[in-house]
Amino acid sequence: CAALLPRERRDVRRGALLAATLAGTGLGAGSWDELLLFLYRVETGVAEPILGHDAGFYLFVLPLLDRAFALLLTVALLAFAASVLALVVPPRGTSVPLPDRMLALRRGVSARGPTRAVFLLAAVAAAGMLLARYHLLYSEWGVVAGPGWTDVHVRLPAYWVVAVATLVLGAAPLVPALALRLRRPRSLRGRRLQLGAPVTAAVLIAAVWLAALVVAPNLVQFLVVEPNELSFERPYIAHNIAFTRRGFRLHEVEERRFPASEVLTRDVVRESQHLLSEARLWDVRALDAVYRQFQEIRLYYAFHDVDIDRYQLGDRYRQVMVSARELEQRNLPAQSQTFVNQRFKYTHGFGLTLASVRDFRSDGLPNLLVKDIPPRAELPELRVDRPQIYYGELTGDPAVVNTREPEFDHPSGDENVTIVYSGSGGVRLENLWRKFAFGWRFDGTRFFFSASMTPDTRVLYHRRVQDRVATLAPFLELDGDPYIVLRDGRLYWILDAYTTSSRYPYREAFSGYEQIEYGPAERRERTARSVMEQLRGANYARNAVKAVVDAFDGTTTLYAFDGEDPLLRVWRRAFPGLFRDASEMPPGLRAHVRYPDGFLLAQGLVYAKYHMADAEVFYNQEDLWVRATEKYYAEVQPVEPYYV
């Protein structure tokens, strides 16, 4: 940028360097993920049919090229602005009339700077035209997302024409500028020629762009393609269907016929007892209210939601509904919400409540298989040896354990039982510097001057499950519904995570293939909505990772469940120790892995349109599916996915 400016204009050169540095820092600050995706890129094995590139080029290479182009374009614009500024604004301490400034500066400075800057800008713009060819794969010009007939036959060759014309016209002013530099013209006409050449080049470049990229494609689309749209666009509709299905992993859908003519007989019922005995009778929303009323025990405990799971109990494989009893500090009485109570005393939740999906007691309440405080289990497989929940869905604030202040564990009649934390979670405050650093971060002087802490004190932070996983792997999109799992007496959280991209070829991005109505703002519906928001704008998504978080010590393990996912393969190459293979997950946890219902809903919304494989049927939208509805109290709402 500074090299295009006169050496005697140090003030403008310094300003240009500062502006370019700030611009480069701003453009490059958020590109660490794009750089890693490029450096550790892999092939997907899927080539797009227009330009013939592997889909990995669009996922891993094109984003960094776009970032580099934005940086070069910014520098070129700054160089042009600085060169014009050097031509117009006189040096410090001089006074030159405006007409003279527009011709040339004192000391023989001419318009060479703007001329070279125009060429630099034209060269960058020409490169941008070549780069824009790849963005035709995301075109919205035709009847579907992705390149259509006009894109392939008009816009694609037009980019080459515009690139060459831009480069040639941008270089043309350099020839008269060089000749006039040798002659050192002093006449008004010569100087006007120096200034007029870059202006003329810019006007001609704009005219070529307008004719080739706007006028010609619009005319062809309106006069040629639209009157015969289906015949022209048929192959491109087929491409869009194939790549959209692949982007949401719908290309692996297996179609089966389920005959509806089977007669329900006694024999059929008898043979299906193992299924009918686990048919869910409890509604999640109703059971949530029951748990809150009868199992919260104290005001400062709360059940965030109810999750569906399954356990092998004796010789029966049973479906259950489970909810963790977490601590909600905001429910403490106002006079008890002190610094000591919130940081040192009330630090964790306690236990869980678990019921079968179909059993009722004689009084109409659910048959609880795990209940009360301390947890009482009806079956030995459901014993809870470590009920403390230091990491969960409601644990948004840090906690300080192993202090001189007795830490509340759980109520026992009229008394409270205390605990000394024995886990490995958090960071030990073993010296004054750590105490100062965490005090600076969390609570200031109250934390630093507290006399409750010892060298064995630990501060637990990033305790919310989603926050913990997001800190370790910020490149993953996280499900909104972690669920609690009881295994060998300990409690664990399992959280689904997604690899997503908006760069997959043929960008039919997830944005709502139908108008989604959620009905009452119940927790389960909010969960589905959170997954939708995570995937909104993406045209590629995989449920590739399962995160497991120990509820007691916060140990977090990420398991890779999709070995074919190219995005996950790249991140595993970039961070070799971050993920473990799915085969390494303990069987007791693997038995509780499930398919995310929110992700299934998102796939279903896409499939409502993209189950149509025939281009003509798709074009006419002849078989567009609509979600089923149900009546919940007085409200009619779409049916949400549920586990059976």
Side-chain angles (χ1 to χ4, degrees):
C1 180
L4 299 176
L5 303 176
R7 293 185 178 180
E8 59 269 21
R9 296 307 306 273
R10 294 181 180 179
D11 51 343
V12 180
R13 290 167 65 93
R14 290 170 182 170
L17 283 172
L18 177 60
T21 301
L22 293 176
T25 302
L27 288 170
S31 59
W32 64 269
D33 53 341
E34 296 170 354
L35 182 60
L36 289 178
L37 289 173
F38 174 78
L39 292 176
Y40 296 97
R41 62 190 181 277
V42 298
E43 295 286 329
T44 67
V46 178
E48 47 85 10
I50 303 301
L51 299 176
H53 288 283
D54 185 88
F57 172 82
Y58 299 91
L59 292 173
F60 309 127
V61 179
L62 187 58
L64 190 65
L65 294 180
D66 288 340
R67 180 78 65 165
F69 170 72
L71 180 61
L72 291 175
L73 183 61
T74 301
V75 171
L77 289 172
L78 286 173
F80 179 75
S83 62
V84 172
L85 190 66
L87 190 65
V88 175
V89 178
R92 185 180 302 174
T94 63
S95 178
V96 180
L98 183 59
D100 291 341
R101 299 180 205 169
M102 297 302 296
L103 293 177
L105 291 175
R106 292 173 57 187
R107 303 178 184 175
V109 177
S110 70
R112 294 192 304 271
T115 303
R116 293 172 178 173
V118 166
F119 173 69
L120 175 62
L121 194 57
V124 174
M129 287 298 98
L130 299 182
L131 197 61
R133 296 180 304 120
Y134 303 114
H135 288 271
L136 286 178
L137 273 294
Y138 312 124
S139 172
E140 301 288 342
W141 193 281
V143 67
V144 293
W149 193 93
T150 302
D151 294 309
V152 174
H153 294 86
V154 179
R155 297 178 71 197
L156 185 59
Y159 280 129
W160 281 104
V161 173
V162 172
V164 174
T166 300
L167 191 61
V168 172
L169 291 173
L174 292 178
V175 178
L178 179 60
L180 291 171
R181 181 185 178 187
L182 295 176
R183 289 167 47 195
R184 295 275 181 188
R186 299 298 179 184
S187 67
L188 181 62
R189 181 177 178 278
R191 294 181 180 180
R192 283 177 177 170
L193 180 59
Q194 282 186 305
L195 290 172
V199 174
T200 303
V203 171
L204 291 175
I205 290 172
V208 172
W209 281 39
L210 182 65
L213 298 180
V214 179
V215 176
N218 274 284
L219 287 176
V220 171
Q221 182 73 15
F222 179 72
L223 298 176
V224 179
V225 176
E226 288 186 4
N228 308 280
E229 195 166 50
L230 180 58
S231 60
F232 275 93
E233 300 289 3
R234 186 186 297 272
Y236 307 104
I237 294 174
H239 296 160
N240 172 268
I241 294 173
F243 275 81
T244 301
R245 282 185 171 189
R246 188 173 290 275
F248 290 95
R249 204 171 185 177
L250 296 172
H251 63 295
E252 297 179 352
V253 167
E254 185 178 312
E255 295 186 3
R256 298 181 184 176
R257 286 191 174 275
F258 290 88
S261 59
E262 185 173 344
V263 179
L264 189 64
T265 64
R266 289 181 181 272
D267 292 337
V268 172
V269 172
R270 188 181 307 110
E271 293 171 1
S272 305
Q273 276 300 308
H274 64 292
L275 296 177
L276 297 176
S277 64
E278 294 302 316
R280 183 166 65 87
L281 302 181
W282 273 101
D283 184 272
V284 171
R285 293 156 289 197
L287 188 64
D288 188 17
V290 173
Y291 280 178
R292 291 170 182 274
Q293 183 175 359
F294 293 99
Q295 282 294 308
E296 282 187 347
I297 312 296
R298 293 290 189 271
L299 291 176
Y300 42 76
Y301 287 130
F303 292 105
H304 182 65
D305 61 4
V306 177
D307 292 305
I308 308 295
D309 205 345
R310 68 273 194 213
Y311 285 79
Q312 186 71 38
L313 303 178
D315 59 349
R316 292 184 62 184
Y317 190 53
R318 306 211 60 185
Q319 187 174 196
V320 300
M321 306 172 85
V322 59
S323 188
R325 186 184 293 105
E326 296 194 65
L327 183 72
E328 181 57 273
Q329 291 184 343
R330 290 176 296 182
N331 293 343
L332 288 169
Q335 64 272 17
S336 298
Q337 294 187 20
T338 63
F339 169 71
V340 172
N341 281 345
Q342 291 180 325
R343 284 291 181 270
F344 303 113
K345 184 172 288 292
Y346 293 93
T347 57
H348 60 275
F350 199 84
L352 77 166
T353 299
L354 186 147
S356 66
V357 297
R358 65 176 302 276
D359 294 332
F360 293 80
R361 297 187 337 200
S362 58
D363 57 2
L365 293 177
N367 180 30
L368 299 180
L369 302 179
V370 179
K371 59 186 177 181
D372 297 340
I373 297 177
R376 293 192 295 117
E378 298 295 323
L379 299 169
E381 297 93 335
L382 297 177
R383 75 185 191 282
V384 185
D385 300 327
R386 179 62 73 185
Q388 292 82 10
I389 301 176
Y390 284 90
Y391 298 83
E393 293 185 85
L394 301 178
T395 49
D397 297 321
V400 185
V401 297
N402 291 353
T403 66
R404 295 185 178 93
E405 191 69 36
E407 182 185 348
F408 169 74
D409 188 40
H410 65 273
S412 179
D414 295 333
E415 299 180 351
N416 290 335
V417 178
T418 60
I419 186 177
V420 176
Y421 182 73
S422 58
S424 59
V427 176
R428 285 184 61 190
L429 300 179
E430 56 189 14
N431 54 51
L432 189 63
W433 166 247
R434 289 190 179 184
K435 187 175 179 181
F436 171 78
F438 283 99
W440 180 277
R441 177 171 181 179
F442 296 130
D443 295 296
T445 55
R446 291 186 303 175
F447 189 97
F448 183 70
F449 288 106
S450 174
S452 300
M453 285 175 272
T454 71
D456 293 325
T457 294
R458 289 178 174 270
V459 56
L460 315 181
Y461 58 105
H462 290 310
R463 295 201 298 149
R464 187 169 173 267
V465 174
Q466 291 96 327
D467 177 46
R468 194 164 187 81
V469 177
T471 303
L472 288 172
F475 45 83
L476 297 176
E477 298 290 346
L478 304 180
D479 197 282
D481 187 26
Y483 55 99
I484 197 78
V485 170
L486 174 62
R487 169 182 169 262
D488 297 335
R490 292 181 70 97
L491 299 178
Y492 300 87
W493 295 95
I494 296 181
L495 176 63
D496 288 282
Y498 308 93
T499 54
T500 66
S501 177
S502 61
R503 294 284 193 153
Y504 203 65
Y506 294 87
R507 182 187 288 170
E508 187 74 37
F510 180 76
S511 58
Y513 291 84
E514 61 174 88
Q515 190 66 29
I516 302 170
E517 300 291 342
Y518 289 96
E522 299 289 341
R523 281 183 174 78
R524 189 158 167 268
E525 290 149 356
R526 287 203 300 269
T527 296
R529 187 179 344 192
S530 70
V531 178
M532 305 277 201
E533 292 300 324
Q534 297 292 344
L535 300 182
R536 192 168 300 279
N539 67 342
Y540 178 93
R542 294 288 188 272
N543 176 219
V545 177
K546 309 284 185 180
V548 177
V549 180
D550 190 303
F552 184 69
D553 61 24
T555 300
T556 303
T557 309
L558 304 180
Y559 294 97
F561 267 74
D562 190 342
E564 301 300 318
D565 176 29
L567 282 171
L568 182 59
R569 287 160 56 198
V570 169
W571 292 123
R572 294 193 73 176
R573 293 181 65 194
F575 303 104
L578 186 59
F579 298 93
R580 294 186 183 179
D581 291 330
S583 60
E584 298 182 42
M585 179 180 280
L589 290 176
R590 182 68 179 263
H592 297 276
V593 166
R594 68 188 192 186
Y595 200 92
D597 55 353
F599 186 51
L600 179 68
L601 178 56
Q603 288 181 304
L605 292 175
V606 178
Y607 201 63
K609 180 178 178 181
Y610 279 90
H611 72 279
M612 296 179 282
D614 183 83
E616 183 173 353
V617 174
F618 187 93
Y619 176 80
N620 295 318
Q621 297 292 284
E622 297 176 15
D623 191 23
L624 186 64
W625 289 349
V626 179
R627 285 177 66 189
T629 59
E630 64 178 350
K631 189 173 183 180
Y632 182 73
Y633 290 98
E635 299 284 344
V636 176
Q637 62 185 33
V639 174
E640 301 289 335
Y642 55 88
Y643 294 104
V644 295

